[in-house]
Structure formats: structure tokens, C-alpha cells
Amino acid sequence: MVFRVCVDEEAYTFLNSLDPKSQRIIKDTLNLLKENPYPHSRGDKERLHTGKNRSIYRMHIARSFTAIYTIDSEAAIVHITHLMTIEKAHRRYGRL
């Protein structure tokens, strides 16, 4: 199954504020979610916690950025809800 990747406006604004090289790296990495958005034994994807009707995932990108996303498997959509630096993500989720 091929998933469609959608990006929230706030995450898209953050992406566009970055230099072209960082934008390319992030876009290339997010496109990998089209084939397999679920965590597996190797890689930088992790399930964070389960909400009422959905699970929330995170993916580290190039040791500099983190994407937070949800998966709608029925509609085959990966929804990027947040995109931020890895340091900000660690502070936000209490890992530093």
C-alpha cells in the first residue's frame, strides 16, 4: 500500500524557513513514509503513545530534525502534524 503524506500548515511553514539543503533532506526523508510509515527494527521511527482513536509517531531526520505524525491506515494517509529541531522535540517530550 502506498500512503499519501500530508503536512500541516505550521510544519510546512517551518520547512520553508529552512535552507534549501535542509528542505531537500527533510522532503526526501518524509517521502520514505509513503512506502512504510510504521516503525521497524532499523530506522528512526518510533510510536510515542496512543490517543483515543489514533497512535502518534515520531521520526528523526538527519540527526537534526524530528517529524511528529499520525497514520490513517484506512485512508492510506500519513499526516505530519509537527516538524521541529530535534532539540526542541526532546524538550517538548521530556527527553533532555
Side-chain angles (χ1 to χ4, degrees), residues 14 18 22 26 59-61 63-67 84-86:
F14 175 79
L18 300 172
S22 294
I26 291 170
M59 179 172 65
H60 288 310
I61 302 169
R63 298 185 185 193
S64 298
F65 302 100
T66 298
M84 63 193 81
T85 65
I86 202 164

Side-chain angles (χ1 to χ4, degrees), residues 5-6 8 14-15 17 20 31 34 38 48 50 54 56 58 69-70 74 78 81-82 85:
V5 177
C6 299
D8 268 3
F14 175 79
L15 177 64
S17 73
N31 276 323
K34 290 179 179 180
Y38 296 99
L48 295 178
T50 303
R54 62 184 178 169
I56 298 172
R58 71 104 182 114
Y69 63 97
T70 60
E74 291 179 14
V78 175
T81 58
H82 297 85
T85 65

